[in-house]
Amino acid sequence: GTGDSKHLLVPAGLSARNVAIFAPNDFARPDDGDSDWLVCSGVDLPPIPEDPCKEEFWSLEDPLMLMTWAALAVWLLIFCTTLLWNLRSSVYLCIVKQATRPNGPASSREARLEARHVLTAAIEHTIPERGVKVSAGGLGKVLDQMLREHPPGELSLVHPMFGDVEYGPLKEYRLLTVVVDGKDQEVQVMTMKSEMNGIMRTWYLLKHDLFTQQSKKTPYPSPMTKLAVLRYFSLWNQCVAQLVSELNPDVYHCMDYHAALAPLYLQGAKRIPMILVLHNADYMGIIETDFINDRFWKTVPQLRRLSLVFNLKVATIRKYCTFEGRFNMLKAGVTYIKETQAGHGVCAVSVNYGAELKRERTLFDGLPSIMPLDNATDPADDQGAAGVDELKARRFQAKAALQKHCGLELDPGAKILIFIGRWVKQKGVDHIAMLTPALLRSHPEVQIVLAGPPDDACGLYAQELLTPIVPEFPGRLFVCTEFFMLPPEMRRGAHLCFTPSCSEPFGYVDVEFGLLGVPSVGCAVGGLGKMPGVYFRQQNSDSAKMLLEAFFIAVDYALDMPDREYWEMAKAATVAEFPFEVWRDNLTEAYSQALKHFRPKDNGVHMLYDKVAANESLREAMAHRGSSMFRRTSSARNIAQQMQVLDIEDNAEFLMQAVSEARTHDIMKQTMADACGRKGDAEALQASICQAEQRLTERNHITLWLMKPFARGLCLRIHVVIALCYIFSSVGETLLKHIATSHAGSAFNNSEVAWTTFYSGAFIGCFFWLSLSRGIPPNVLMAISQMINILFFVLVPSLPQHSFDSDVAAMLYWALCGMQSTSRLLYIIWNFNEDFHGGFQVAARRIGVLESLRTAVGWLAVFLVKKDMEDLVTMIVSVVSLASLVLLFKAPHCYSTYCLPPSGLLEGILSHKSFLLLVASEALNFLTAFPSQSYATWWTLNGWVQSDIRLFALSIAVLSLPILMATFALLQRMSVWGPWAMRDFACLVPPGSLLRAIAFYNLGWLHHRSWLFAVTVLVSVGVEVARGAAVWSSIMTILGNKWYALKGCYLCLAIASLCGALSPTVANWISLTACGASPVDPNTKVTLDKPVTGRGSMGEAVGWAVIPLALASYVLRLLAARYFNSDVLTFKGNGASLPDGSRSGVGHSTRRVGT
């Protein structure tokens, strides 16, 4: 000792707990209190603190445990409440008691530029002077309207001539010559003129065999997969372009997709302003059967042949006519307007339909707006002057006449429900057919009149469903499956008009019946909901169950309305106004906007040929590559090109052909007859027909086996193969990390360095797999991923022990592990490829099942690895990977032909605010990933042994599976009625990392094995898995399309991986700044106590590193809930509220009805 200081010498390398002091009895005395310790005599020492190891803390009475108990209770309460709160499903009806009048443009008339000469082109047409009328729906009515009400000036109308229409004497104008499919085509142009209301109308009628083959009953050629149809539209658009070039109008008025290609044939100074009026954007001129996209970064033959058919260069077709991997004629018009008019000039036939298209269709992203051009109609004959008593009297007389005309029972008290129109899916006729028996049985006073020609598979389905049940309801059900004319006076006899359309641009039927005093009952979508009636909204447009139930509830509510309320609604419908003056003002404004913003842009020559092409030119057009000194084409390839030219000469089809309508009808009829009363959904039946057709044409036995259903139709077998790849990807990650850790050099055993390297590799891997997706089909990509797995599991473990002694080799291996781990996202996205809707309506259940299985298998792998059974795990995963590798190469057609279409990385993504907020939330959550997973270190320091940790891993594996599967099964059931359940679960459940950090901060000083902390950690892990799966389900549901989901999810995963790589650095900086300790510091991780320097403990360091960031992440998810519903494209509002929460109109109210 020196002075008063006394020092105790101990052997070097021993801690204080290993030192024993020997002293005579006289120099020692018992310590004060109940302690068994001996102290030196004559020394005053402070009392020993209470032993933190003497008991376990399960008691709620201990105030030190209350924070963790409270946090655990809050997490479980929020988890359960979000599910229980949404258990009661509801349908929200919109009660409309006042018609919505369209609004005119906001700008003044003085500021407008006038279009003195307008040229419009349409396949439907009307020539009043000759009694010519070719119409298939609303577009024909608009053309009638244009001829009478168009702004004064010169109006040129271009139409094809039909073989069964008598046009009378016409003047020959000129002969047009165009190139279609490598051949010259001559088209004769006939003309006539007339004048009305200051409108100089000039018709230009095109005469050619392709045009005259069509009849006025079927004016539009179909399907788009037929070579003759493609030639028709090529000929039509090139003729329109030549007339536009020659007549040089001020504005080209394009109606829908039919003539949207015409501007591509105009070059340089010949380009003119254009407006594109969307009368029905459900039809875009799309080839649905073939994926027209480069594969392995080479141009596919179909694209070259389309280039030849339409006489446009391959680059032009690729840029202007392909969208989301499909040939799309409407895109040409939209892209032209974007390029030359900054997006000004696209119009829709109703304001709500325009807003709906802008929100839901990515094709219209980038447009400043879709201008409203609401259709106009004549008002009621008496201008709505008739009172309720007069309406009742008219109804009484008209009802008797209608009943007599349709052979119904003459019952003055009957309530007649009526639908007259085309029987197509868009009109919801299949839903009417499915509900008709239930409505007739539940309402004895109801009679139903259904008439119209079936025009698609859903119409044929309705016909087969309704025809057999007519005898079951004699005098109460009238069904006519032909074109049916009903005089307006008889229409007054109906009680309600059916309008359950799935999509409706404007809707003339509700206006026509409403002006006669007949309210509507149906779906408020697009242009519907403007007339008085009872409507439901598509709370989930992908759910047939929701649509059927909501339609039935709406009809039931309308039938049970009090008599006074009903007649007030009927009276309000008769005074509705849709003035021609407003339509004319809006049209003039559209012309003005196109003229103001038009900036001609010369992008070069788009046409392939301007004259007849010889065979040599055809061979050149069909050649996928040329010969050079480095690469010579083979003789077989030259012969193949010659065969392709011969196919052109022989008019051979080059696209896949869908099942014909006639064959679909026969199959539906037989299937429904065999069903013995068990009727399925029309779309599901149509999907089954398509899948059955694919199986009949498939020749490979393995592919055929993969196309068959699994678990009684739950999914297809290919889905199971892809799911197994995803489920066992977590096992692979566990093995890879274990191998790298066990082989790493001593300098690389630093966990934060390994962590950063792994997630840096994951960040790179996201862009690696996304880039490959642009040229490599998904089955090959997934097979490559499985091949890498096999190499890692078979090759790496067999390397010599010293191969990973180098830190560089270990870092490279960790980075490769990270890159490989990100391929798992491919298995999630492509697991939905065969769904009929093409969306993610089954995302909640399927992703929940996959994530629960992946979690269970992953933790089971941890359990086995810690029991030194990694060889068994390696063998199982190797077998799964090898089997999947073989099967993926034989995947069905859609997996071997699709590639990510060319588009901007952020296209279709940035418009979704909730997506951006969820990505930012996940980024912050991943910044907490490294410190929040320090519970393994805590368990070790706290006295838990390997057998205990194995037990925890096994507990998570066993419990997570049933709990997560049950949770997501509930979410899927509740999501049928709208996005509220998924929104609440994804946005309101706090992150599990926050719960763990609170437990660390509160209990991190304990030296005994705290079961409370262990249970909290296990709960937090389960919550985090469920929350993460819900977030990924939400992101895919928000993006709504597999292409945008693929890009968006990889973008989210890349940002999250980058934040994960930065997590150790950020945690170290925050915790050192806040408490002077760090979860990264090795000295902090060796004890749970605070050091003698007074710096923070490990628990405090973790708390400071995690809690602020986790709270910020949670706040962002709460903000995402604000925009969630409006970003989910399958949600189209509820009651009187639109998707963004705004009111749908004046006189609209909401009624909630439980289901």
Side-chain angles (χ1 to χ4, degrees):
T2 57
D4 295 334
S5 300
K6 296 188 180 295
H7 302 276
L8 179 65
L9 297 178
V10 298
L14 294 181
S15 62
R17 72 183 68 177
N18 295 323
V19 176
I21 300 176
F22 298 91
N25 289 334
D26 295 340
F27 290 90
R29 66 173 178 82
D31 192 16
D32 297 333
D34 298 330
S35 174
D36 294 332
W37 290 91
L38 296 176
V39 300
C40 296
S41 301
V43 178
D44 293 328
L45 296 176
I48 295 177
E50 183 178 358
D51 183 5
C53 301
K54 68 180 182 181
E55 62 177 336
E56 292 193 1
F57 290 89
W58 270 103
S59 175
L60 283 169
E61 298 176 358
D62 194 314
L64 297 176
M65 303 294 108
L66 288 181
M67 181 185 295
T68 303
W69 276 111
L72 183 60
V74 168
W75 258 252
L76 292 175
L77 181 64
I78 295 176
F79 186 95
C80 297
T81 303
T82 53
L83 296 176
L84 296 175
W85 181 262
N86 291 284
L87 274 179
R88 183 173 180 266
S89 55
S90 300
V91 169
Y92 297 85
L93 299 179
C94 179
I95 312 302
V96 180
K97 296 186 177 180
Q98 181 178 337
T100 303
R101 188 180 189 272
N103 296 320
S107 63
S108 61
R109 297 186 180 184
E110 291 76 12
R112 296 179 190 166
L113 298 178
E114 291 188 6
R116 301 300 304 169
H117 181 193
V118 175
L119 183 145
T120 186
I123 293 176
E124 297 180 46
H125 55 277
T126 299
I127 307 178
E129 290 83 351
R130 303 291 172 86
V132 173
K133 178 72 173 178
V134 178
S135 178
L139 180 56
K141 296 179 181 179
V142 173
L143 282 166
D144 293 345
Q145 175 179 310
M146 285 187 67
L147 293 174
R148 295 182 290 113
E149 304 294 339
H150 192 273
E154 186 176 354
L155 178 63
S156 298
L157 301 110
V158 182
H159 307 297
M161 296 182 69
F162 285 74
D164 61 345
V165 176
E166 179 57 48
Y167 290 92
L170 298 170
K171 181 180 179 181
E172 187 172 338
Y173 178 68
R174 60 161 295 184
L175 196 68
L176 302 178
T177 301
V178 298
V179 179
V180 176
D181 209 5
K183 295 181 181 179
D184 249 0
Q185 301 290 339
E186 292 186 344
V187 180
Q188 190 175 8
V189 182
M190 313 299 290
T191 186
M192 67 163 288
K193 293 184 178 181
S194 71
E195 190 273 338
M196 182 179 186
N197 298 334
I199 309 170
M200 180 55 67
R201 307 174 299 185
T202 305
W203 282 269
Y204 297 91
L205 304 174
L206 309 179
K207 188 174 183 179
H208 187 276
D209 289 343
L210 284 174
F211 298 149
T212 55
Q213 287 172 3
Q214 296 297 128
S215 67
K216 62 181 180 181
K217 288 186 177 181
T218 56
Y220 295 106
S222 64
M224 285 292 294
T225 54
K226 292 292 185 182
L227 179 60
V229 174
L230 296 175
R231 288 173 172 173
Y232 178 104
F233 282 114
S234 174
L235 181 69
W236 164 243
N237 278 272
Q238 291 188 68
C239 290
V240 171
Q242 286 201 22
L243 289 173
V244 168
S245 179
E246 182 172 322
L247 299 173
N248 194 27
D250 297 325
V251 173
Y252 170 43
H253 183 140
C254 180
M255 296 185 175
D256 286 333
Y257 73 89
H258 314 107
L261 294 180
L264 299 182
Y265 301 96
L266 303 176
Q267 310 299 331
K270 294 293 185 178
R271 294 192 165 194
I272 64 171
M274 166 184 172
I275 71 164
L276 176 62
V277 182
L278 304 171
H279 294 270
N280 193 341
D282 282 351
Y283 303 99
M284 296 185 178
I286 299 176
I287 297 176
E288 296 282 3
T289 56
D290 289 71
F291 197 71
I292 313 296
N293 194 47
D294 294 352
R295 196 154 52 249
F296 294 107
W297 294 277
K298 293 182 180 180
T299 304
V300 294
Q302 295 95 324
L303 185 54
R304 294 188 181 278
R305 185 62 194 279
L306 285 170
S307 165
L308 200 60
V309 170
F310 283 93
N311 194 26
L312 292 169
K313 295 180 179 178
V314 168
T316 301
I317 295 281
R318 186 182 287 120
K319 178 180 179 181
Y320 291 93
C321 305
T322 56
F323 181 69
E324 296 180 354
R326 307 287 184 185
F327 180 80
N328 186 311
M329 292 175 61
L330 186 63
K331 189 196 174 186
V334 175
T335 306
Y336 178 84
I337 289 176
K338 286 181 180 179
E339 286 185 350
T340 61
Q341 297 162 204
H344 295 271
V346 178
C347 309
V349 292
S350 69
V351 61
N352 286 341
Y353 187 57
E356 189 176 287
L357 292 176
K358 187 73 170 63
R359 170 180 174 262
E360 298 176 11
R361 303 296 178 91
T362 314
L363 178 62
F364 305 111
D365 271 2
L367 297 178
S369 65
I370 296 181
M371 303 173 64
L373 191 59
D374 294 74
N375 290 336
T377 61
D378 294 314
D381 293 339
D382 60 357
Q383 306 291 322
V388 170
D389 292 339
E390 177 65 22
L391 290 177
K392 288 182 178 180
R394 293 177 181 176
R395 171 72 57 80
F396 181 81
Q397 296 176 357
K399 185 188 298 184
L402 178 60
Q403 289 171 335
K404 184 177 180 181
H405 185 76
C406 296
L408 300 176
E409 182 182 345
L410 297 177
D411 180 5
K415 295 179 179 180
I416 301 177
L417 311 182
I418 192 169
F419 174 84
I420 297 179
R422 291 184 304 127
W423 286 26
V424 293
K425 169 182 168 52
Q426 182 182 344
K427 301 296 182 182
V429 68
D430 53 329
H431 293 167
I432 295 175
M434 294 174 76
L435 290 180
T436 293
L439 290 172
L440 290 172
R441 293 188 183 105
S442 60
H443 293 275
E445 78 281 9
V446 164
Q447 296 176 344
I448 296 179
V449 173
L450 305 173
D455 275 358
D456 67 4
C458 287
L460 298 174
Y461 171 87
Q463 175 181 333
E464 294 303 322
L465 202 61
L466 288 168
T467 303
I469 66 171
V470 172
E472 186 180 344
F473 303 98
R476 297 182 60 200
L477 176 61
F478 172 77
V479 175
C480 177
T481 56
E482 299 176 353
F483 186 74
F484 185 75
M485 283 294 296
L486 191 64
E489 283 305 314
M490 288 189 186
R491 298 188 181 198
R492 293 183 187 273
H495 184 78
L496 292 168
C497 170
F498 281 142
T499 58
S501 299
C502 301
S503 173
E504 190 63 66
F506 176 74
Y508 276 105
V509 173
D510 61 331
V511 177
E512 293 169 352
F513 276 94
L515 293 175
L516 297 173
V518 181
S520 296
V521 57
C523 181
V525 62
L528 293 177
K530 60 187 178 293
M531 293 294 290
V534 179
Y535 302 90
F536 67 93
R537 293 193 184 273
Q538 295 177 356
Q539 297 168 197
N540 182 356
S541 60
D542 274 343
S543 171
K545 179 180 179 181
M546 181 269 149
L547 298 177
L548 282 169
E549 186 74 18
F551 183 33
F552 183 85
I553 289 173
V555 176
D556 196 59
Y557 182 94
L559 290 172
D560 293 339
M561 273 195 305
D563 202 50
R564 178 180 176 182
E565 184 179 353
Y566 170 82
W567 284 107
E568 287 177 354
M569 190 178 286
K571 166 61 180 172
T574 62
V575 299
E577 290 184 314
F578 299 91
F580 289 103
E581 181 181 357
V582 174
W583 174 83
R584 193 181 304 112
D585 280 350
N586 285 329
L587 182 60
T588 304
E589 177 65 16
Y591 291 155
S592 176
Q593 290 293 322
L595 290 166
K596 282 180 181 178
H597 293 91
F598 179 67
R599 302 290 185 273
K601 185 177 180 181
D602 189 1
N603 289 332
V605 178
H606 294 310
M607 291 179 61
L608 194 61
Y609 306 112
D610 56 3
K611 58 182 180 180
V612 180
N615 277 356
E616 186 62 34
S617 299
L618 296 183
R619 282 197 294 271
E620 182 181 347
M622 294 303 297
H624 75 283
R625 69 177 189 179
S627 181
S628 66
M629 61 180 297
F630 300 105
R631 181 182 60 193
R632 299 183 61 185
T633 56
S634 64
S635 58
R637 183 60 198 168
N638 291 330
I639 294 174
Q641 292 173 13
Q642 182 61 39
M643 292 173 67
Q644 290 176 331
V645 174
L646 293 176
D647 286 342
I648 296 173
E649 296 290 337
D650 295 339
N651 300 323
E653 301 290 350
F654 66 97
L655 297 171
M656 291 179 58
Q657 301 300 310
V659 185
S660 66
E661 286 192 8
R663 187 172 184 183
T664 299
H665 188 188
D666 292 340
I667 296 172
M668 276 190 168
K669 187 174 182 179
Q670 186 61 45
T671 303
M672 295 173 70
D674 295 341
C676 300
R678 300 187 304 275
K679 305 298 189 294
D681 178 61
E683 291 185 74
L685 183 56
Q686 189 176 5
S688 299
I689 293 174
C690 293
Q691 290 180 3
E693 182 74 12
Q694 292 173 15
R695 289 184 203 170
L696 289 175
T697 57
E698 181 58 56
R699 293 293 176 263
N700 187 281
H701 294 290
I702 297 178
T703 305
L704 190 61
W705 182 82
L706 290 172
M707 294 170 67
K708 293 182 179 179
F710 173 79
R712 302 188 67 178
L714 181 65
C715 61
L716 301 181
R717 290 172 180 172
I718 181 63
H719 294 151
V720 178
V721 173
I722 298 174
L724 286 174
C725 296
Y726 179 75
I727 291 167
F728 281 89
S729 64
S730 61
V731 181
E733 292 172 25
T734 301
L735 284 172
L736 292 173
K737 293 176 182 178
H738 175 73
I739 293 169
T741 303
S742 61
H743 286 74
S746 59
F748 195 70
N749 278 328
N750 191 328
S751 60
E752 56 269 19
V753 176
W755 179 284
T756 300
T757 306
F758 179 85
Y759 278 101
S760 297
F763 173 73
I764 298 171
C766 290
F767 296 101
F768 172 76
W769 294 109
L770 185 60
S771 300
L772 291 182
S773 297
R774 293 189 179 277
I776 300 178
N779 70 318
V780 178
L781 266 183
M782 292 185 285
I784 291 173
S785 172
Q786 293 305 304
M787 194 179 299
I788 295 174
N789 271 348
I790 294 172
L791 290 175
F792 280 171
F793 295 146
V794 177
L795 180 62
V796 173
S798 63
L799 292 177
Q801 184 72 21
H802 59 79
S803 299
F804 286 93
D805 289 345
S806 166
D807 289 343
V808 174
M811 286 184 67
L812 179 62
Y813 193 77
W814 274 102
L816 290 175
C817 291
M819 287 186 63
Q820 168 62 11
S821 70
T822 55
S823 66
R824 68 182 185 274
L825 200 55
L826 296 171
Y827 308 125
I828 281 288
I829 300 298
W830 291 107
N831 206 270
F832 297 91
N833 193 41
E834 288 285 350
D835 288 326
F836 183 71
H837 292 280
F840 292 95
Q841 69 278 3
V842 294
R845 181 176 62 182
R846 191 174 295 180
I847 291 180
V849 170
L850 292 178
E851 197 60 39
S852 59
L853 288 170
R854 183 174 183 269
T855 301
V857 171
W859 281 97
L860 185 60
V862 173
F863 171 78
L864 294 174
V865 167
K866 288 189 176 295
K867 285 184 71 70
D868 298 325
M869 299 175 65
E870 59 267 20
D871 291 339
L872 174 62
V873 178
T874 301
M875 183 181 66
I876 294 174
V877 177
S878 299
V879 170
V880 172
S881 297
L882 185 59
S884 302
L885 172 65
V886 174
L887 293 174
L888 285 170
F889 276 116
K890 296 296 183 180
H893 177 76
C894 59
Y895 292 93
S896 59
T897 56
Y898 289 0
C899 291
L900 180 64
S903 61
L905 177 62
L906 302 179
E907 182 182 331
I909 292 176
L910 292 182
S911 58
H912 302 289
K913 295 179 181 178
S914 58
F915 167 76
L916 298 177
L917 289 168
L918 288 174
V919 170
S921 172
E922 285 300 289
L924 290 177
N925 196 47
F926 265 74
L927 283 175
T928 70
F930 182 79
S932 71
Q933 295 188 23
S934 302
Y935 51 84
T937 302
W938 188 92
W939 278 336
T940 302
L941 293 175
N942 199 234
W944 300 94
V945 295
Q946 287 296 319
S947 60
D948 299 320
I949 298 176
R950 289 199 299 266
L951 179 62
F952 293 150
L954 187 60
S955 300
I956 296 175
V958 172
L959 296 177
S960 62
L961 186 60
I963 293 175
L964 292 179
M965 290 183 70
T967 298
F968 281 90
L970 281 175
L971 284 175
Q972 193 273 336
R973 289 185 61 185
M974 293 183 287
S975 295
V976 167
W977 306 100
W980 297 284
M982 184 59 70
R983 178 201 64 185
D984 293 347
F985 196 80
C987 297
L988 300 185
V989 175
S993 58
L994 181 57
L995 176 59
R996 287 197 297 274
I998 292 174
F1000 263 119
Y1001 188 82
N1002 184 220
L1003 306 178
W1005 55 275
L1006 294 178
H1007 290 261
H1008 62 79
R1009 301 200 296 182
S1010 172
W1011 283 101
L1012 174 59
F1013 182 84
V1015 170
T1016 303
V1017 169
L1018 296 182
V1019 170
S1020 70
V1021 170
V1023 168
E1024 190 65 15
V1025 171
R1027 185 204 62 81
V1031 168
W1032 286 108
S1033 298
S1034 299
I1035 286 176
M1036 286 188 280
T1037 303
I1038 288 167
L1039 297 176
N1041 175 292
K1042 58 176 169 280
W1043 306 123
Y1044 304 123
L1046 184 64
K1047 292 193 300 182
C1049 288
Y1050 263 122
L1051 182 63
C1052 177
L1053 187 58
I1055 295 174
S1057 298
L1058 180 61
C1059 291
L1062 296 174
S1063 179
T1065 305
V1066 173
N1068 181 60
W1069 178 78
I1070 293 177
S1071 57
L1072 283 177
T1073 303
C1075 66
S1078 169
V1080 178
D1081 186 357
N1083 295 323
T1084 303
K1085 294 190 288 185
V1086 298
T1087 178
L1088 300 174
D1089 294 328
K1090 284 188 178 182
V1092 293
T1093 58
R1095 296 166 59 188
S1097 65
M1098 179 179 167
E1100 290 176 310
V1102 171
W1104 280 106
V1106 174
I1107 292 175
L1109 293 173
L1111 282 174
S1113 170
Y1114 187 46
V1115 169
L1116 288 177
R1117 280 197 289 118
L1118 293 177
L1119 291 175
R1122 164 67 179 81
Y1123 305 102
F1124 191 95
N1125 285 1
S1126 60
D1127 283 339
V1128 174
L1129 301 184
T1130 56
F1131 176 73
K1132 302 186 180 183
N1134 61 299
S1137 298
L1138 296 175
D1140 60 359
S1142 61
R1143 300 288 294 178
S1144 56
V1146 179
H1148 295 200
S1149 59
T1150 300
R1151 297 288 187 276
R1152 177 178 177 177
V1153 182
T1155 59

